[in-house]
Amino acid sequence: MEQQLLQSIRDAADADATRRQAGEVQLRTLCTQPAAVYSLASMLTNSQIGVQDAQLVASALKRALKPQDMDGFGLEFDKLPGDIATAVKPMMLQALCHPIRPVRKAVAGCISTVASTQWPAQWPELVPSLVSGVKDAVQTMSEESMRAVLGALNVLAELCDHVTSDNAVEYM
């Protein structure tokens, strides 16, 4: 499924309008299957995927997790089977260490999309995982751990956008 998804994603980003429209239709069709979300998250953890592809995959994952009325593909995270949802969360957190900043930023957007409906009730370990990653990074000071810090900060910034003074009580 990964190769089919990747080709659809590439086609959906193509400059040729006919190819782009066909790619978008195929991508929407594929993203109605829960396995597509798993495959997209798995691709983000693959260090062999190119930078442009990783950005496109992260964008497709975010759209797959959004409701249709918010320009998404309609396969919302809450509708995923439990085993897939459980597997995807750590993959997204792992992808926060991607060496390329725009990819980390896109992955942070995916996590934020999930967190907007899952955190804190169904994903209570999200913030502790992010904070733990920051603490570990300070101790090791490796390049990968510093990328994890930047990725975690992107997620926290996006979470702050969701939590306003009007809805802060919901998150307490």
Side-chain angles (χ1 to χ4, degrees), residues 6-168:
L6 190 55
Q7 189 57 53
S8 298
I9 291 167
R10 288 174 178 158
D11 289 348
D14 197 276
D16 178 67
T18 304
R19 191 169 181 185
R20 185 175 56 249
Q21 289 171 343
E24 183 77 16
V25 167
Q26 185 172 13
L27 186 58
R28 281 186 180 277
T29 302
L30 289 170
C31 285
T32 61
Q33 304 170 39
V37 172
Y38 180 88
S39 293
L40 290 168
S42 178
M43 282 191 272
L44 286 174
T45 64
N46 181 349
S47 61
Q48 302 303 311
I49 192 168
V51 174
Q52 184 176 4
D53 285 342
Q55 287 179 275
L56 293 171
V57 166
S59 178
L61 178 59
K62 185 174 180 178
R63 285 188 69 197
L65 298 171
K66 281 182 158 183
Q68 285 182 329
D69 63 347
M70 296 179 66
D71 193 35
F73 297 144
L75 185 62
E76 299 165 45
F77 198 85
D78 295 346
K79 297 176 184 173
L80 291 176
D83 59 331
I84 291 178
T86 300
V88 166
K89 288 175 182 178
M91 284 192 273
M92 289 190 299
L93 290 171
Q94 179 185 346
L96 282 175
C97 297
H98 198 282
I100 306 300
R101 183 183 181 279
V103 175
R104 285 193 306 269
K105 185 88 170 141
V107 170
C110 294
I111 293 172
S112 178
T113 296
V114 172
S116 68
T117 61
Q118 293 279 303
W119 179 79
Q122 289 90 14
W123 200 359
E125 68 277 9
L126 172 61
V127 172
S129 294
L130 295 171
V131 171
S132 174
V134 171
K135 285 181 184 177
D136 292 346
V138 170
Q139 292 174 349
T140 62
M141 298 300 283
S142 70
E143 185 176 330
E144 183 175 348
S145 65
M146 288 297 110
R147 290 193 303 258
V149 168
L150 296 172
L153 291 175
N154 282 328
V155 173
L156 291 170
E158 294 228 5
L159 284 176
C160 288
D161 285 345
H162 288 289
V163 180
T164 65
S165 59
D166 294 336
N167 69 1

